[in-house]
Amino acid sequence: MAEDVIASIRTLRDAAMAELDLCTSAEALEQYRIKFLGTKGQLKEAMKLLGKAEASDRPRLGQEINAVKDAVQGAFDARKLEIERGLTDARDAIDVTEPGVRPTIGRPHLVLRVADELAELFGRLGFRVEDGPELEDEWHNFIALNIPESHPARDHKDNFYLVGHEEPAIAEGAVKTTGARQERRNRALLRTQTSTVQIRVMETRKPPIRVVIPGRVYRPDETDATHLPMFHQLEALVVDRDVTMVDLKSTILQFVHAYFGHDTKIRFRPSFFPFTEPSAEVDVYFPDQDRWIELGGCGMVHPNVLTNCGIDPETYTGWAFGFGIERIAMRKYGISDIRAFVENDVRFLRQF
Ligand code: DAH
């Protein structure tokens, strides 16, 4: 008899537990409470079985019923909390067919990506990548590049000179050329061009040289749709025997066609740079804006520059270029305003 009562109490417990799993709303839970835990609920009914049992069995049965009541009440309370917090059964909480929320992860900035693409492309043309310091001195930024003290490019208002960072003097013997040796000061400044690294490479390595240098440069320019006070350049330098202007032009054409597409229009305009002779500027046509935009300058390395670096201009010749990486990225990805690169608008950045 007592065993029958225990068995039916346990059956009731199992049924109550199973049914609780099916309750997914506050209303269903209330129905459940009335059915099992209410004053007329099934657990109260089960108590009545006690009255019919042998007096000697009652304590054992009472304990059993109370344990079941506590278990069901405990499970009910936990379920109620889940429903209140909006977490129903795990089976309902995780809908595996839902698209889900994509975690936002960072990515390289477009300028760095383009710099990598360019390094990769020039790598295939046999160039190796070099770099140099952004904090430079006048020797590498001007003097060795054949830019004399009187040149307007060295004006205070066109450069970020560092106050209180004056190198004592240019090392005696480092300079073999005219003019350069007469300069005593070698002030520090943020480099205005990656051409500085041409000097650093030629000072430390002998030809043949075939390098590209992606890097950041600084100029106190007015900001507009094509100018920023800090931007990036890709410099290239080739020094070897019998290097000519044909190599320069054909390499630039190969690069432009490989990177922008074969129908890209470019033009070379005669120009002047102290560190190249002859010199040219390279413009690329922007079909979306219906105008030419300057990529940068190029030319045959000036003999004085080779001499300044201890390379004999009678034996070696060279060519070089320096292009704006933001301008290249603008042409490649149809960006009309250079300021977009530094505004940090994630809607812009996420597109690339
Ligand atoms: N350094 C020049 C500038 O920033 C660009 C340039 C011109 C680089 C001619 C070169 C070059 O290597 O050969 O305006």
Side-chain angles (χ1 to χ4, degrees):
M1 174 65 186
E3 299 315 315
D4 291 347
V5 173
I6 286 179
S8 67
I9 289 169
R10 290 187 178 163
T11 305
L12 176 59
R13 179 195 64 193
D14 293 346
M17 290 300 195
E19 203 167 319
L20 191 59
D21 275 350
L22 303 177
C23 296
T24 56
S25 66
E27 301 79 61
L29 205 62
E30 179 56 13
Q31 293 304 313
Y32 179 92
R33 191 191 63 75
I34 294 164
K35 180 169 171 185
F36 290 102
L37 297 163
T39 42
K40 289 185 182 138
Q42 292 189 21
L43 283 164
K44 276 269 153 33
E45 291 298 310
M47 285 299 212
K48 290 183 186 160
L49 295 173
L50 274 184
K52 295 181 190 147
E54 300 282 338
S56 59
D57 289 332
R58 275 180 207 158
R60 192 153 69 90
L61 294 177
Q63 255 175 18
E64 185 72 27
I65 291 177
N66 278 329
V68 167
K69 239 176 67 185
D70 289 349
V72 173
Q73 184 70 50
F76 172 86
D77 291 344
R79 187 71 178 164
K80 190 167 170 215
L81 215 68
E82 281 177 3
I83 289 175
E84 280 167 5
R85 290 193 188 143
L87 312 158
T88 52
D89 192 352
R91 279 167 307 191
D92 306 315
I94 300 171
D95 177 355
V96 292
T97 66
E98 264 196 18
V101 181
R102 229 174 241 287
T104 31
I105 44 176
R107 69 193 77 191
H109 190 279
L110 180 58
V111 166
L112 295 184
R113 203 180 104 188
V114 169
D116 283 349
E117 289 170 359
L118 297 173
E120 204 269 336
L121 195 157
F122 278 95
R124 279 187 274 139
L125 295 173
F127 289 76
R128 64 183 257 188
V129 176
E130 290 287 345
D131 66 3
E134 290 172 28
L135 177 56
E136 263 295 3
D137 54 29
E138 290 179 291
W139 169 252
H140 293 94
N141 203 84
F142 300 121
I143 304 165
L145 284 164
N146 202 34
I147 307 175
E149 203 157 23
S150 56
H151 196 282
R154 296 179 63 170
D155 201 286
H156 258 271
K157 66 179 187 328
D158 291 327
N159 294 282
F160 291 111
Y161 285 102
L162 268 79
V163 176
H165 275 81
E166 196 152 317
E167 295 296 319
I170 293 157
E172 197 59 39
V175 190
K176 298 195 189 84
T177 189
T178 48
R181 203 207 299 244
Q182 284 135 33
E183 286 196 38
R184 301 257 173 68
R185 293 183 310 166
N186 193 18
R187 288 172 298 170
L189 76 163
L190 294 176
R191 69 179 176 197
T192 58
Q193 48 187 356
T194 43
S195 305
T196 52
V197 191
Q198 288 189 28
I199 303 303
R200 291 188 174 273
V201 168
M202 288 191 283
E203 280 174 339
T204 52
R205 300 231 315 265
K206 293 297 142 224
I209 291 169
R210 206 173 166 80
V211 295
V212 283
I213 304 126
R216 223 177 260 151
V217 298
Y218 303 83
R219 296 179 192 179
D221 274 350
E222 271 313 313
T223 299
D224 63 26
T226 50
H227 294 89
L228 288 174
M230 186 277 284
F231 61 101
H232 297 74
Q233 286 185 327
L234 181 78
E235 191 83 14
L237 173 70
V238 171
V239 182
D240 204 348
R241 291 172 197 270
D242 304 322
V243 170
T244 70
M245 189 100 184
V246 176
D247 303 315
L248 161 62
K249 247 188 122 166
S250 58
T251 306
I252 291 176
L253 273 172
Q254 269 191 47
F255 148 64
V256 165
H257 289 157
Y259 195 62
F260 299 125
H262 278 279
D263 46 1
T264 311
K265 287 199 275 184
I266 65 162
R267 67 184 184 193
F268 289 80
R269 272 184 294 108
S271 186
F272 173 80
F273 298 100
F275 36 93
T276 45
E277 180 59 34
S279 306
E281 276 172 321
V282 180
D283 299 335
V284 64
Y285 185 67
F286 278 56
D288 47 337
Q289 298 185 39
D290 189 26
R291 63 169 175 146
W292 296 92
I293 291 182
E294 186 195 316
L295 277 193
C298 64
M300 300 305 293
V301 180
H302 196 290
N304 284 355
V305 175
L306 295 173
T307 306
N308 287 343
C309 301
I311 293 175
D312 180 8
E314 298 298 330
T315 312
Y316 294 104
T317 49
W319 62 257
F321 71 66
F323 293 161
I325 295 182
E326 282 83 354
R327 301 257 180 106
I328 293 173
M330 288 165 79
R331 177 61 175 75
K332 173 89 173 176
Y333 295 101
I335 297 157
S336 55
D337 195 321
I338 199 170
R339 288 168 286 205
F341 291 106
V342 291
E343 277 166 354
N344 270 341
D345 184 335
V346 288
R347 291 166 302 179
F348 170 78
L349 298 172
R350 274 201 193 124
Q351 296 175 66
F352 307 103

